[in-house]
Amino acid sequence: AMNFLLESHDNITLLTTETRVHVPEPTSRLLFRFYWALISFFSGWIRMDMLNRIKRTAESRQTDAVLETASVSAVRSSE
């Protein structure tokens, strides 16, 4: 299972991810360790890329919202 968790601290939002697997049998666990050794680098790279894209999108939207608010305030003050 893969989870996303958003936590707000002061003016920062922290997004974390967590992946859990359940491998109860010893043979399956050994096979999973081999599988994970092969893909963990790529899985981590994809996850970091995904988190960076989310961050850029969120920061872009925040900047747009600030600019829009400033724009509305400037129009109101000139009226």
Side-chain angles (χ1 to χ4, degrees):
M2 183 174 186
N3 290 333
F4 291 88
L5 177 63
L6 285 169
E7 296 177 284
S8 184
H9 302 280
D10 299 321
N11 288 331
I12 323 173
T13 301
L14 178 65
L15 170 63
T16 57
T17 63
E18 176 185 51
T19 302
R20 294 182 317 269
V21 296
H22 176 67
V23 189
E25 297 88 26
T27 304
S28 298
R29 200 172 358 228
L30 181 64
L31 292 172
F32 181 79
R33 284 185 187 150
F34 177 71
Y35 162 79
W36 191 248
L38 292 174
I39 70 149
S40 64
F41 172 79
F42 300 103
S43 174
W45 182 77
I46 290 167
R47 184 180 306 243
M48 290 306 296
D49 183 60
M50 176 184 60
L51 290 171
N52 284 325
R53 287 173 188 252
I54 292 168
K55 179 183 179 192
R56 283 194 305 271
T57 300
E59 289 173 347
S60 171
R61 289 183 181 171
Q62 182 181 14
T63 301
D64 291 346
V66 168
L67 291 175
E68 184 177 318
T69 302
S71 188
V72 168
S73 296
V75 168
R76 286 185 184 153
S77 65
S78 67
E79 293 176 345

